[in-house]
Amino acid sequence: MNLTVTEENYIKSIFHLQQAEGNVSTNELAASLHTKPASVTDMLKKLTNKNLLNYIPYQGVRLTKDGKKQALMIVRKHRLWEFFLVDKLQFGWDEVHEVAEELEHVSSKKLVEKLDSFLGHPKFDPHGDPIPDIHGNMVAVRQFNLIDIKPGTLVEVCSVGSQSAELLELLRHKNIGISTEMLIMKKFEFDHSVEIKIKNSQHINISQQLAQALFVKLV
Amino acid sequence: MNLTVTEENYIKSIFHLQQAEGNVSTNELAASLHTKPASVTDMLKKLTNKNLLNYIPYQGVRLTKDGKKQALMIVRKHRLWEFFLVDKLQFGWDEVHEVAEELEHVSSKKLVEKLDSFLGHPKFDPHGDPIPDIHGNMVAVRQFNLIDIKPGTLVEVCSVGSQSAELLELLRHKNIGISTEMLIMKKFEFDHSVEIKIKNSQHINISQQLAQALFVKLV
DNA sequence: TAAATTATTTAGATTTGTCTAAAAATAATT
DNA sequence: AATTATTTTTAGACAAATCTAAATAATTTA
């Protein structure tokens, strides 16, 4: 099934909205897509005919199994490209969203899988959101980038940004691994480094680069 | 000036066609874009209004200075993405065109420049076509990938695929540089390596990887 | 529960890029 | 030069995605 860019954007918005609430209303969708409710109604009918939505007039809408799969593949592409932009092209994590909105609509499946390999099969995008794998599976817990955590917070390492040898070497050296608990002590404006304390251990300093590669959950 | 994907494709086709001949005819364009002459006429008027074309009814069309600049930026993007796909994602050079046709329409200027840096400012795409720089300048001579040259041909090295340290080391070791003349002796099916002879020197063997990174002109 | 408000859908119009069929201009041929 | 053939343009229609305005359904409030 081949979707237009517009159809893909509808599917993606419905996916994100139905995560938060149950059924998605016409008005919500219109707001999220910066369009008018009347336009939404038209598109809902169209996507229903393509078996991507369950839509009952006046009752809101949910994705079908098929629709959800399509959505997950778009989200996968979006987040892989975001990772690429930050990790390889040195974009700031706060400036990649717009660009990824365009890249996510490039259709080649081979491209997505080769990109995934090239990036080292990352599990999280630069905002800490999980990247669905080729089957649409992804980690459920909301994760945060270490660099965004406020001092005084106790967190646990869930995942690292990639599997590169250089990153793993540094983590081993600092004795940091999956499920390591750490208390965020202080953040330094000058170099965006972070001082942390690991249980039964001394204070250590984490560089900006490393902090951006560490994903944690609140504990 | 913001162009739609369709408009960009028209501009790009006109650019390529007017390289070969002088004025570009409605029929040629229709054939090249897989559309009908009547549709072309409509679009020519539209692009003329945007000052991208000089169009006189029944006389064919040429790009204005502005139109040419737009075309060069699209070609730049197309060829940079092709280079990326082959060099970083391990696509075959014969399967990248379709994908690049989509990627070339991603609009972020910052993306293009960061990609160019990431790739090491390559001068030629995987087919040997020159990549315009940010000002639209590019090498004029048609160049070929060493791997595509027939045995018995005398060629001269014009450029190398990238500026990576590893590549430069190997070239130094083999005594190959810009303007080195070499005679193509034999090509081996098994590993796609190429045997060459450099003037006043012995026969040496060039691996497939290296051959793909060498761009030559006929001499 | 009846009226008022809000949400959603329908009806009809618009824009973009395309098409077919017919007319007009240009080029080729006899 | 006159006719024929080709190329190009015009005219009118269509599909996709959108809009505004009006109608209808659902919900809230008095």
Short mmCIF file of all heavy atoms in Angstrom, two decimals, chain B residues 126-146:
data_model
loop_
_atom_site.label_atom_id
_atom_site.label_comp_id
_atom_site.label_asym_id
_atom_site.label_seq_id
_atom_site.Cartn_x
_atom_site.Cartn_y
_atom_site.Cartn_z
N PRO B 126 29.04 8.75 -7.51
CA PRO B 126 29.51 7.40 -7.83
C PRO B 126 29.46 7.05 -9.32
O PRO B 126 30.00 6.04 -9.73
CB PRO B 126 28.55 6.50 -7.06
CG PRO B 126 27.98 7.36 -5.99
CD PRO B 126 27.91 8.72 -6.58
N HIS B 127 28.82 7.89 -10.14
CA HIS B 127 28.81 7.65 -11.58
C HIS B 127 29.88 8.48 -12.28
O HIS B 127 29.99 8.45 -13.51
CB HIS B 127 27.44 7.99 -12.18
CG HIS B 127 26.31 7.27 -11.52
ND1 HIS B 127 25.51 7.88 -10.58
CD2 HIS B 127 25.88 6.00 -11.61
CE1 HIS B 127 24.62 7.01 -10.16
NE2 HIS B 127 24.81 5.86 -10.75
N GLY B 128 30.65 9.27 -11.52
CA GLY B 128 31.69 10.09 -12.12
C GLY B 128 31.22 11.47 -12.53
O GLY B 128 31.98 12.24 -13.11
N ASP B 129 29.97 11.79 -12.25
CA ASP B 129 29.48 13.12 -12.59
C ASP B 129 29.88 14.11 -11.50
O ASP B 129 29.84 13.79 -10.31
CB ASP B 129 27.95 13.09 -12.74
CG ASP B 129 27.52 12.23 -13.92
OD1 ASP B 129 28.11 12.39 -15.00
OD2 ASP B 129 26.61 11.39 -13.74
N PRO B 130 30.26 15.31 -11.90
CA PRO B 130 30.77 16.28 -10.93
C PRO B 130 29.66 16.81 -10.01
O PRO B 130 28.53 17.00 -10.45
CB PRO B 130 31.32 17.41 -11.80
CG PRO B 130 30.59 17.29 -13.09
CD PRO B 130 30.29 15.83 -13.28
N ILE B 131 29.98 17.02 -8.75
CA ILE B 131 29.03 17.57 -7.78
C ILE B 131 29.24 19.08 -7.70
O ILE B 131 30.32 19.53 -7.33
CB ILE B 131 29.27 16.93 -6.39
CG1 ILE B 131 29.09 15.40 -6.48
CG2 ILE B 131 28.34 17.54 -5.35
CD1 ILE B 131 29.41 14.67 -5.19
N PRO B 132 28.22 19.86 -8.05
CA PRO B 132 28.35 21.33 -7.95
C PRO B 132 28.64 21.72 -6.50
O PRO B 132 28.10 21.11 -5.58
CB PRO B 132 26.97 21.84 -8.37
CG PRO B 132 26.33 20.72 -9.11
CD PRO B 132 26.88 19.47 -8.53
N ASP B 133 29.47 22.74 -6.30
CA ASP B 133 29.71 23.20 -4.94
C ASP B 133 28.58 24.15 -4.54
O ASP B 133 27.63 24.36 -5.29
CB ASP B 133 31.09 23.83 -4.80
CG ASP B 133 31.20 25.17 -5.52
OD1 ASP B 133 30.16 25.75 -5.90
OD2 ASP B 133 32.33 25.64 -5.71
N ILE B 134 28.71 24.75 -3.35
CA ILE B 134 27.62 25.57 -2.82
C ILE B 134 27.31 26.77 -3.70
O ILE B 134 26.22 27.32 -3.68
CB ILE B 134 27.94 26.00 -1.37
CG1 ILE B 134 26.69 26.58 -0.70
CG2 ILE B 134 29.11 26.98 -1.35
CD1 ILE B 134 26.87 26.87 0.77
N HIS B 135 28.28 27.18 -4.54
CA HIS B 135 28.04 28.30 -5.46
C HIS B 135 27.59 27.84 -6.84
O HIS B 135 27.36 28.66 -7.72
CB HIS B 135 29.31 29.15 -5.59
CG HIS B 135 29.82 29.64 -4.29
ND1 HIS B 135 30.95 29.12 -3.69
CD2 HIS B 135 29.34 30.57 -3.42
CE1 HIS B 135 31.14 29.74 -2.53
NE2 HIS B 135 30.19 30.61 -2.33
N GLY B 136 27.49 26.54 -7.02
CA GLY B 136 27.06 26.02 -8.31
C GLY B 136 28.21 25.73 -9.25
O GLY B 136 27.99 25.37 -10.41
N ASN B 137 29.43 25.89 -8.78
CA ASN B 137 30.58 25.61 -9.65
C ASN B 137 30.91 24.13 -9.65
O ASN B 137 30.81 23.47 -8.62
CB ASN B 137 31.81 26.37 -9.15
CG ASN B 137 31.58 27.86 -9.16
OD1 ASN B 137 31.03 28.40 -10.12
ND2 ASN B 137 31.97 28.52 -8.07
N MET B 138 31.30 23.65 -10.82
CA MET B 138 31.74 22.26 -10.88
C MET B 138 32.70 22.05 -12.04
O MET B 138 32.76 22.85 -12.95
CB MET B 138 30.55 21.32 -10.99
CG MET B 138 29.69 21.53 -12.21
SD MET B 138 28.32 20.36 -12.23
CE MET B 138 27.48 20.86 -13.73
N VAL B 139 33.44 20.96 -11.94
CA VAL B 139 34.39 20.59 -12.97
C VAL B 139 33.64 20.32 -14.27
O VAL B 139 32.58 19.70 -14.25
CB VAL B 139 35.15 19.33 -12.54
CG1 VAL B 139 36.09 18.86 -13.62
CG2 VAL B 139 35.90 19.62 -11.25
N ALA B 140 34.21 20.75 -15.39
CA ALA B 140 33.50 20.64 -16.66
C ALA B 140 33.69 19.30 -17.35
O ALA B 140 32.75 18.73 -17.89
CB ALA B 140 33.93 21.76 -17.59
N VAL B 141 34.92 18.78 -17.35
CA VAL B 141 35.23 17.58 -18.12
C VAL B 141 34.45 16.36 -17.63
O VAL B 141 34.34 16.13 -16.44
CB VAL B 141 36.73 17.22 -18.00
CG1 VAL B 141 37.16 16.35 -19.16
CG2 VAL B 141 37.57 18.47 -17.88
N ARG B 142 33.95 15.58 -18.54
CA ARG B 142 33.28 14.34 -18.19
C ARG B 142 34.31 13.36 -17.68
O ARG B 142 35.32 13.09 -18.31
CB ARG B 142 32.58 13.77 -19.42
CG ARG B 142 31.88 12.44 -19.18
CD ARG B 142 30.65 12.67 -18.31
NE ARG B 142 29.81 11.48 -18.24
CZ ARG B 142 29.98 10.52 -17.33
NH1 ARG B 142 30.92 10.62 -16.40
NH2 ARG B 142 29.17 9.48 -17.32
N GLN B 143 34.04 12.84 -16.52
CA GLN B 143 34.99 11.91 -15.92
C GLN B 143 34.36 10.54 -15.78
O GLN B 143 33.15 10.40 -15.74
CB GLN B 143 35.41 12.46 -14.56
CG GLN B 143 35.78 13.92 -14.66
CD GLN B 143 36.83 14.33 -13.67
OE1 GLN B 143 37.22 13.53 -12.83
NE2 GLN B 143 37.31 15.55 -13.79
N PHE B 144 35.21 9.55 -15.69
CA PHE B 144 34.74 8.18 -15.59
C PHE B 144 35.30 7.52 -14.35
O PHE B 144 36.40 7.86 -13.90
CB PHE B 144 35.15 7.37 -16.82
CG PHE B 144 34.63 7.93 -18.10
CD1 PHE B 144 35.35 8.89 -18.81
CD2 PHE B 144 33.39 7.52 -18.60
CE1 PHE B 144 34.85 9.42 -19.98
CE2 PHE B 144 32.90 8.06 -19.77
CZ PHE B 144 33.62 9.00 -20.47
N ASN B 145 34.55 6.59 -13.85
CA ASN B 145 35.03 5.75 -12.78
C ASN B 145 36.02 4.77 -13.37
O ASN B 145 35.73 4.16 -14.40
CB ASN B 145 33.83 5.03 -12.17
CG ASN B 145 34.03 4.79 -10.71
OD1 ASN B 145 34.22 3.66 -10.31
ND2 ASN B 145 34.01 5.84 -9.91
N LEU B 146 37.16 4.59 -12.72
CA LEU B 146 38.19 3.70 -13.25
C LEU B 146 37.62 2.32 -13.52
O LEU B 146 38.01 1.64 -14.47
CB LEU B 146 39.38 3.63 -12.27
CG LEU B 146 40.56 2.79 -12.74
CD1 LEU B 146 41.08 3.26 -14.08
CD2 LEU B 146 41.68 2.82 -11.71
#
